[in-house]
Amino acid sequence: MRKTVRIAQDGACPGDFMLRNVNCPHVMLGQEFPRVAFQGHLHSLPKLMEKASSSHASHGNHKENSPFLNSSEAGKGGDYYDRNLALFEEELDIRPKVSSLLGKLVNYTNLTQGVKEHEEAESTDGSKKKVSKSPSMGTLMGVYLPCMQNIFGVILFLRLTWMVGMAGVLQSFLIVLLCCCCTMLTTISMSAIATNGVVPAGGSYFMISRSLGPEFGGAVGLCFYLGTTFAGAMYILGAIEILLTYIVPQAAIFHPSGAHDASSAMLNNMRVYGTVFLILMAVVVFVGVKYVNKFASLFLACVVISILSIYAGAIKSIFDPPVFPICMLGNRTLSRDQFDVCAKTIVKDNVTVASKLWELFCHSTNLTTENCDEYFLMNNVSEIAGIPGAASGILKDNLWSNYLEKGEILEKAHHPSVDVAGQKNNLHLYVLSDIATSFMVLVGIFFPSVTGIMAGSNRSGDLKDAQKSIPVGTILAIVTTSLVYFSCVLLFGACIEGVVLRDKYGDAVNRNLVVGTLSWPSPWVIVIGSFFSTCGAGLQSLTGAPRLLQAIAKDNIIPFLWVFGHGKANGEPTWALLLTALIAELGILIASLDMVAPILSMFFLMCYLFVNLACAVQTLLRTPNWRPRFKYYHWALSFLGMSICLALMFISSWYYALVAMLIAGMIYKYIEYQGAEKEWGDGIRGLSLSAARYALLRLEEGPPHTKNWRPQLLVLLKLDEDLHVKYPRLLTFASQLKAGKGLTIIGSVIQGNFLETYGEAQAAEQTIKNMMDIEKVKGFCQVVVANKVREGIAHLIQSCGLGGMKHNTVVLGWPYGWRQSEDPRSWKTFIGTVRCTTAAHLALLVPKNVSFYPSNHERYNEGNIDVWWIVHDGGMLMLLPFLLKQHKVWRKCKMRIFTVAQMDDNSIQMKKDLATFLYQLRIEAEVEVVEMHNSDISAYTYERTLMMEQRSQMLRQMRLTKTEREREAQLVKDRHSVARLESLYSDEEDETEPVPENIQMTWTKEKCDAEKRNRGSAVGSFRDLISIKPNQSNVRRMHTAVKLNEVIVNRSHDARLVLLNMPGPPKNTDGDENYMEFLEVLTEGLERVLLVRGGGREVITIYS
């Protein structure tokens, strides 16, 4: 086999490559040579190839949506055109070789909009640029640990013990199970979406927007952003609560002035310190994200050590439970931080004296009982173990729920007590419930502790194998955290006394963190660890939320957010960070962790709901692009996940759920009406396509019932030479007639060859679409290229629409100026179109003087729409005014119906019958019957008919004259060269015979005499026109037109619109020109006329 080598140099003859038996002045591009001729010189070819490939590589990274080579690149590659691909060489600039395409796709890099490139931008100089490293993170570091860090949070340390105490172990299991099932099912759906192609930064926002469309994506993306922002506020509030309650209570700025305003003082402290913390954290994030990332592992270590200390303490409590005694008065729990000895009296120097507890309840230092609290006197003080240990059997007491109302005292069931009322001013000495609790409240508070499952998908650009790591890492993280939660619920219930569990702030155990009392070796392990982990989580939220907002803003789907797409020179989202800090400040001003948690639960649940919906929709639609590598998903699981998300939203807080849905709905509608147009091949478009296909197949079953008939319009538009719409009021009229309902197709014909005029057709289509937007016409546009305009219109009438969704009415413009024009083609096209619609059994509407029709901004506050019902056409004349009156322009017009009675008709009975008919049709209209008496044909009618026939005869003879025909041929040729497109309704080839391009005339004597004779005969024929007699049939028709016009003008000269039966064209085509004259006479003197021709079927019915 002979192999060939190609040289990519043009012009100079290569000195080294001498050819045998070839005299070559220079080597031409693409010339082939036998391999034998290059032995010994092939060592230089790799350099050539290397040079060519480097020129390819120098073009940088291509975007994902344009991985093809352009024509400039095509010319640079020396081996671009190949002998084996010669058949395709003309297309290789737009359809590259497979090898070129694959090379470009391999070089595609997917960097996140997250912390990585910002870190690099901060640490590099402006002159030096680092070469981007390939993603190298594995499942453990890239997905599993970030998810663990995001899922474990403040709720585990501050509220889980309280939840177990209030709900009991069994209901706590149910709460954890519900929340973990929700996140597990969402993870399965998310894994399917994340493994169906590359997921760049933006995580859940990117997945939802590309799966469900920009409207859903923007709404849910903003909900997820708000959820992340409020999560940052919640973490800061948790950190402040740990700081002021357990670490340095002395740092409080506001102190309770009385016994009952302790909570308000605490909330004010939270607001002040929370704002300070928020400002500090925002500054840290603004200065550099790299510091947040460097401390991320430290924060994770704090969480892990804290959880391990809980397990260590639980194991230790089996044989050596920690000593945290609780002071009980009867069965009521006392707040231990206000006294030291749990006894009514103490022995001091062998004397029994009142204890601090006695002083608090009796308000005296001696043992008098005059002012003592009755409950204090009647009940004994006792101490019980706060942490009985796992071997104590306390679990059976903590199995069941013990929900409390706000202000209720924590009591130990079955503990001996005398039930008497105590003094209300001593309530602050007991441990009280600060909020009313129920199963639903606890679900809302606990749910944020299972969020954070998106951390892995947010980092997909940093992962070595994202499609494998995201499902495995996220599911493992959820399984791990779920096991921790279940085991913690069980351990808390088995080790800690019930009243201590229900004590939210640890008042009964000397203001210790309740989880800390169980931990080993010291409560401070949990306190310090939870403080740092919550600070870290807050920083992560303030880092992630601005980037999510930046991703939404850069997509430009919500126009007013564009400013948040900008930032520092390194891409840091400065403005987005500022907005995030302001929104987080709102959460901090709420100041209660228990109030903020349900808010962010709503936003996260909304996000998870739409992730499940996205997966379910894609699975059920079976779109060709839906090919996830993760196979363990099913649409039923996604729907179950959706149902659980929806249920949890309304379980935790139905009013928050409605507010979150309202916010998402408002964003959705805003993007739908105001947002930028985006086409991402999303599932909702696919769903619309499937629904449309199903509906069209249903419509195909048969024609619509008369009750469902409405005009489905095909509007034939005329374009001028510049491809602009000549009569835009046709579109205005169509929009007024349709009022947004039914089908509207705007059709136009461009004359020419499709291969040559395709660009013009596209431009014309865009022009028509722009005009449709201006006139608010909701419909479709179709531009057809045809050799003859009449053929193009016939094609439109035959082929527009799809299945049962086809037009049944054609709207056609009137050919203005047909009398003045010697060219008959425009009115011939008009009449041909009328015949086509009649043959296709379609209705026809011809608005005459359409330029005088009202625009959509005008209003008719008075006036009449007059209907002249001369022949029955299926009820079109009745239905059209009713439809027009639905539009605001015509709404206040009154409807009048005129019908014509002949001499032998009973006009009084006709009027009664017509009124009854209209009543049954439920149409309000004034009825009039016009009597037309038989009268002789007037001289005016005779003269009008004569003028009409003379004109048509004269034009016919002029066209038959040879010189005129030659002049016409030359005119056609000139018109072709100047502007091919003269008008829509013209046929260049109808009336003229083909003539040679060059008309050469050689004059001889015989030819000259013949020409003189022809001219003489032409003059004679013109003289004959004077003595012509009109056709009697034409006289009768003209008489009808004149008489009808007199009656119509007399009654309807001031009407806003006149609707009139349109007579059909004559069967004999010789009378076409006369037909146009009859229509002109019939509508003379009327400002706005709508000629109506029915399609041969009933369109209105008296039945319901």
Side-chain angles (χ1 to χ4, degrees):
M1 188 175 75
R2 235 177 59 151
K3 294 190 177 180
T4 59
V5 184
R6 301 171 62 248
I7 305 300
Q9 297 182 4
D10 189 4
C13 186
D16 290 342
F17 300 142
M18 300 304 296
L19 307 177
R20 294 178 185 176
N21 304 323
V22 177
N23 295 320
C24 171
H26 58 267
V27 181
M28 297 301 294
L29 177 67
Q31 194 168 338
E32 299 172 355
F33 306 102
R35 186 180 177 90
V36 180
F38 293 97
Q39 287 178 352
H41 300 284
L42 287 175
H43 63 274
S44 57
L45 275 178
K47 293 180 182 177
L48 277 175
M49 301 300 287
E50 189 179 325
K51 188 176 179 181
S53 64
S54 67
S55 69
H56 274 294
S58 66
H59 284 274
N61 297 327
H62 280 258
K63 293 183 180 177
E64 181 185 11
N65 59 1
S66 58
F68 300 131
L69 295 172
N70 57 29
S71 55
S72 63
E73 289 172 320
K76 292 180 183 179
D79 60 340
Y80 195 76
Y81 297 118
D82 199 342
R83 176 183 187 177
N84 298 323
L85 296 177
L87 193 60
F88 301 95
E89 64 185 7
E90 291 184 1
E91 296 180 307
L92 281 177
D93 55 342
I94 55 169
R95 298 181 184 182
K97 292 192 297 183
V98 175
S99 58
S100 306
L101 172 64
L102 293 177
K104 292 294 173 186
L105 290 178
V106 166
N107 290 333
Y108 169 70
T109 58
N110 173 29
L111 292 174
T112 66
Q113 289 170 332
V115 296
K116 184 179 170 187
E117 69 269 36
H118 298 309
E119 233 180 273
E120 289 176 357
E122 283 179 356
S123 58
T124 53
D125 298 325
S127 57
K128 285 187 179 181
K129 287 192 177 180
K130 280 188 181 179
V131 179
S132 59
K133 295 177 184 177
S134 59
S136 59
M137 284 181 132
T139 305
L140 181 70
M141 294 300 294
V143 181
Y144 180 72
L145 292 179
C147 282
M148 290 270 288
Q149 184 181 354
N150 278 266
I151 293 171
F152 285 135
V154 64
I155 303 293
L156 170 65
F157 303 116
L158 293 184
R159 294 292 182 268
L160 191 59
T161 52
W162 174 72
M163 186 187 86
V164 174
M166 291 294 181
V169 172
L170 295 180
Q171 287 194 23
S172 297
F173 268 140
L174 182 59
I175 292 171
V176 175
L177 183 66
L178 266 175
C179 296
C180 291
C181 281
C182 174
T183 53
M184 178 59 82
L185 292 170
T186 304
T187 300
I188 290 171
S189 300
M190 184 195 74
S191 299
I193 298 171
T195 58
N196 186 51
V198 180
V199 179
S204 58
Y205 160 70
F206 184 91
M207 287 191 289
I208 294 168
S209 61
R210 269 55 174 183
S211 299
L212 290 181
E215 295 89 1
F216 278 111
V220 181
L222 279 183
C223 281
F224 192 50
Y225 163 72
L226 290 172
T228 311
T229 305
F230 274 103
M234 184 189 75
Y235 289 130
I236 291 172
L237 289 174
I240 302 302
E241 185 179 308
I242 294 167
L243 181 73
L244 294 181
T245 310
Y246 308 114
I247 300 177
V248 277
Q250 303 83 11
I253 300 169
F254 300 94
H255 299 281
S257 56
H260 302 291
D261 61 349
S263 62
S264 61
M266 182 64 182
L267 292 180
N268 286 330
N269 285 321
M270 300 272 275
R271 290 184 182 110
V272 172
Y273 276 98
T275 305
V276 172
F277 263 56
L278 176 63
I279 293 169
L280 287 174
M281 287 185 177
V283 168
V284 169
V285 172
F286 177 77
V287 168
V289 184
K290 57 184 176 182
Y291 303 115
V292 179
N293 290 330
K294 282 177 181 175
F295 287 110
S297 54
L298 172 65
F299 299 141
L300 180 60
C302 290
V303 175
V304 173
I305 291 169
S306 301
I307 292 170
L308 290 177
S309 73
I310 295 173
Y311 286 118
I315 294 168
K316 179 178 174 291
S317 73
I318 298 173
F319 49 85
D320 184 17
V323 179
F324 283 99
I326 304 165
C327 192
M328 306 291 294
L329 177 62
N331 65 350
R332 296 180 179 179
T333 313
L334 293 172
S335 181
R336 195 64 188 263
D337 62 332
Q338 301 186 42
F339 58 91
D340 48 358
V341 179
C342 183
K344 290 184 178 181
T345 60
I346 56 172
V347 177
K348 201 172 188 181
D349 299 331
N350 293 328
V351 179
T352 303
V353 294
S355 66
K356 180 68 174 174
L357 198 58
W358 186 283
E359 290 178 21
L360 291 170
F361 275 98
C362 297
H363 309 292
S364 67
T365 53
N366 53 24
L367 294 174
T368 56
T369 60
E370 293 173 3
N371 299 324
C372 280
D373 190 307
E374 187 181 358
Y375 188 86
F376 178 74
L377 291 175
M378 299 292 290
N379 287 279
N380 294 322
V381 175
S382 60
E383 265 192 346
I384 61 171
I387 313 290
S392 64
I394 196 75
L395 180 62
K396 65 179 184 296
D397 295 332
N398 292 332
L399 280 178
W400 312 110
S401 62
N402 195 348
Y403 296 116
L404 300 174
E405 292 300 317
K406 184 178 181 180
E408 212 172 323
I409 300 170
L410 268 62
E411 297 178 349
K412 180 173 171 60
H414 312 301
H415 204 67
S417 71
V418 179
D419 192 13
V420 291
Q423 294 177 3
K424 286 190 176 179
N425 58 353
N426 289 328
L427 284 176
H428 67 282
L429 300 172
Y430 300 106
V431 180
L432 304 176
S433 172
D434 65 333
I435 62 168
T437 52
S438 65
F439 180 82
M440 295 187 280
V441 170
L442 294 180
V443 167
I445 292 173
F446 176 74
F447 188 79
S449 64
V450 296
T451 59
I453 59 174
M454 300 289 183
S457 62
N458 288 349
R459 295 165 177 250
S460 60
D462 301 329
L463 299 173
K464 191 184 298 180
D465 186 0
Q467 297 187 345
K468 178 185 174 186
S469 297
I470 289 175
V472 174
T474 312
I475 291 171
L476 280 178
I478 289 179
V479 169
T480 307
T481 51
S482 302
L483 290 174
V484 169
Y485 286 134
F486 281 121
S487 59
C488 283
V489 168
L490 189 63
L491 290 176
F492 294 158
C495 297
I496 305 176
E497 173 62 48
V499 287
V500 179
L501 287 173
R502 288 189 289 281
D503 182 5
K504 187 186 286 185
Y505 300 110
D507 292 326
V509 285
N510 290 326
R511 304 287 285 184
N512 275 308
L513 183 61
V514 176
V515 186
T517 59
L518 180 62
S519 65
W520 179 87
S522 165
W524 286 101
V525 175
I526 293 273
V527 172
I528 301 298
S530 58
F531 176 74
F532 279 115
S533 70
T534 46
C535 287
L539 281 171
Q540 294 277 0
S541 297
L542 289 178
T543 305
R547 277 163 185 76
L548 181 59
L549 182 63
Q550 189 182 38
I552 297 169
K554 281 188 173 178
D555 267 345
N556 198 28
I557 57 171
I558 304 175
F560 69 82
L561 289 181
W562 67 270
V563 69
F564 300 109
H566 306 295
K568 290 197 293 188
N570 62 347
E572 194 72 27
T574 312
W575 292 108
L577 177 62
L578 184 63
L579 180 68
T580 303
L582 290 174
I583 296 172
E585 178 63 20
L586 294 177
I588 284 166
L589 291 177
I590 295 172
S592 170
L593 189 69
D594 304 319
M595 294 288 286
V596 175
I599 296 175
L600 67 102
S601 293
M602 287 307 123
F603 291 127
F604 278 121
L605 280 166
M606 182 83 75
C607 177
Y608 295 166
L609 184 147
F610 281 103
V611 169
N612 284 303
L613 176 65
C615 180
V617 166
Q618 298 274 41
T619 307
L620 288 174
L621 287 177
R622 297 189 181 91
T623 50
N625 192 49
W626 182 244
R627 302 184 297 275
R629 290 189 179 278
F630 180 77
K631 301 297 181 186
Y632 306 102
Y633 68 94
H634 194 270
W635 62 266
L637 291 176
S638 299
F639 272 114
L640 182 61
M642 274 177 61
S643 307
I644 294 175
C645 288
L646 200 60
L648 286 175
M649 285 176 72
F650 283 94
I651 284 172
S652 56
S653 177
W654 63 269
Y655 44 90
Y656 278 161
L658 291 177
V659 169
M661 287 179 165
L662 183 65
I663 291 171
M666 287 169 62
I667 298 168
Y668 179 93
K669 297 308 287 183
Y670 176 80
I671 296 171
E672 190 177 45
Y673 287 111
Q674 295 292 330
E677 286 292 323
K678 296 284 181 184
E679 177 53 63
W680 286 325
D682 51 81
I684 293 297
R685 301 289 194 282
L687 190 62
S688 303
L689 193 64
S690 295
R693 173 183 164 276
Y694 175 75
L696 283 170
L697 290 173
R698 288 288 302 274
L699 282 175
E700 193 70 43
E701 290 174 4
H705 192 272
T706 305
K707 288 185 286 187
N708 295 326
W709 195 95
R710 66 167 68 245
Q712 316 283 15
L713 300 182
L714 169 61
V715 183
L716 295 173
L717 276 190
K718 187 173 184 176
L719 302 177
D720 60 16
E721 289 87 349
D722 298 324
L723 300 179
H724 293 147
V725 178
K726 201 163 188 180
Y727 301 113
R729 283 294 163 87
L730 271 177
L731 292 174
T732 312
F733 172 70
S735 71
Q736 292 169 5
L737 184 62
K738 301 299 293 179
K741 305 290 190 300
L743 175 72
T744 306
I745 302 172
I746 311 299
S748 189
V749 179
I750 288 183
Q751 188 170 351
N753 187 334
F754 178 72
L755 295 176
E756 296 171 359
T757 56
Y758 176 72
E760 285 182 23
Q762 294 291 97
E765 191 169 326
Q766 192 56 49
T767 304
I768 293 172
K769 283 180 179 176
N770 294 338
M771 188 58 70
M772 287 169 70
D773 289 339
I774 293 168
E775 297 295 339
K776 294 185 172 62
V777 178
K778 293 182 179 178
F780 308 97
C781 174
Q782 189 161 356
V783 176
V784 170
V785 178
N787 289 328
K788 296 182 182 179
V789 173
R790 197 182 301 175
E791 286 180 5
I793 292 174
H795 293 158
L796 281 173
I797 290 173
Q798 290 177 74
S799 61
C800 274
L802 183 64
M805 203 65 176
K806 290 180 76 71
H807 57 278
N808 53 30
T809 306
V810 177
V811 179
L812 182 64
W814 179 262
Y816 302 102
W818 67 273
R819 280 175 173 162
Q820 290 75 25
S821 171
E822 293 181 0
D823 184 4
R825 286 171 299 220
S826 61
W827 59 262
K828 278 187 175 292
T829 302
F830 174 81
I831 297 174
T833 306
V834 175
R835 287 197 172 100
C836 279
T837 54
T838 307
H841 301 291
L842 301 175
L844 178 66
L845 307 179
V846 181
K848 199 162 180 284
N849 302 327
V850 75
S851 301
F852 296 114
Y853 276 55
S855 70
N856 284 326
H857 304 295
E858 294 179 45
R859 301 282 188 283
Y860 286 151
N861 294 321
E862 57 182 2
N864 299 313
I865 299 176
D866 286 358
V867 177
W868 284 84
W869 191 20
I870 299 164
V871 293
H872 181 57
D873 59 351
M876 277 283 287
L877 282 169
M878 310 291 174
L879 188 61
L880 290 174
F882 171 77
L883 294 173
L884 278 174
K885 276 167 65 67
Q886 306 302 307
H887 196 272
K888 56 191 176 184
V889 172
W890 305 92
R891 190 166 291 147
K892 293 186 179 178
C893 292
K894 293 179 181 176
M895 184 173 161
R896 296 191 302 185
I897 295 184
F898 297 90
T899 189
V900 177
Q902 302 299 325
M903 283 299 293
D904 52 350
D905 292 331
N906 185 343
S907 58
I908 298 172
Q909 188 61 40
M910 276 180 71
K911 186 170 183 177
K912 285 182 182 177
D913 293 344
L914 183 55
T916 306
F917 180 55
L918 287 175
Y919 177 78
Q920 291 172 337
L921 287 175
R922 291 92 63 203
I923 290 177
E924 293 181 9
E926 193 181 317
V927 176
E928 287 194 37
V929 176
V930 179
E931 295 181 350
M932 287 188 69
H933 303 288
N934 286 334
S935 60
D936 293 333
I937 295 171
S938 64
Y940 169 75
T941 304
Y942 196 85
E943 185 183 345
R944 189 81 187 252
T945 313
L946 183 63
M947 286 171 60
M948 175 186 75
E949 292 199 353
Q950 282 177 345
R951 180 180 180 281
S952 60
Q953 185 71 18
M954 182 172 65
L955 287 174
R956 191 176 296 115
Q957 288 188 357
M958 284 172 64
R959 284 196 294 271
L960 290 174
T961 306
K962 182 181 178 184
T963 54
E964 191 67 25
R965 189 172 65 209
E966 289 169 354
R967 199 173 298 135
E968 180 75 15
Q970 192 64 35
L971 182 65
V972 170
K973 183 189 171 195
D974 294 342
R975 190 155 46 222
H976 261 299
S977 60
V978 176
R980 285 186 295 103
L981 184 68
E982 183 184 15
S983 68
L984 175 73
Y985 302 117
S986 66
D987 256 330
E988 302 292 350
E989 300 175 19
D990 271 356
E991 302 298 323
T992 57
E993 295 175 6
V995 294
E997 287 190 7
N998 297 318
I999 301 172
Q1000 297 178 352
M1001 301 188 71
T1002 305
W1003 290 95
T1004 60
K1005 188 177 180 183
E1006 292 79 7
K1007 284 188 178 181
C1008 186
D1009 293 341
E1011 181 65 23
K1012 286 178 182 177
R1013 284 196 299 273
N1014 283 339
R1015 288 180 182 174
S1017 64
V1019 171
S1021 63
F1022 285 129
R1023 290 192 190 120
D1024 292 342
L1025 288 175
I1026 300 169
S1027 59
I1028 195 171
K1029 288 188 177 181
N1031 187 315
Q1032 286 304 311
S1033 172
N1034 287 342
V1035 172
R1036 283 200 316 276
R1037 287 189 172 89
M1038 183 63 78
H1039 175 68
T1040 306
V1042 169
K1043 294 297 290 179
L1044 269 176
N1045 179 255
E1046 284 177 7
V1047 173
I1048 293 170
V1049 169
N1050 185 33
R1051 297 296 183 95
S1052 301
H1053 60 89
D1054 59 346
R1056 298 293 187 188
L1057 181 65
V1058 177
L1059 282 84
L1060 185 63
N1061 283 114
M1062 181 178 179
K1067 293 181 180 177
N1068 184 3
T1069 56
D1070 292 339
D1072 284 357
E1073 195 170 4
N1074 300 337
Y1075 171 69
M1076 294 296 296
E1077 188 70 37
F1078 295 144
L1079 291 181
E1080 285 281 13
V1081 172
L1082 186 61
T1083 56
E1084 256 178 6
L1086 297 171
E1087 189 178 14
R1088 283 179 288 270
V1089 186
L1090 181 62
L1091 295 171
V1092 181
R1093 185 162 172 75
R1097 61 162 294 172
E1098 293 293 330
V1099 300
I1100 197 166
T1101 177
I1102 62 174
Y1103 299 106
S1104 61

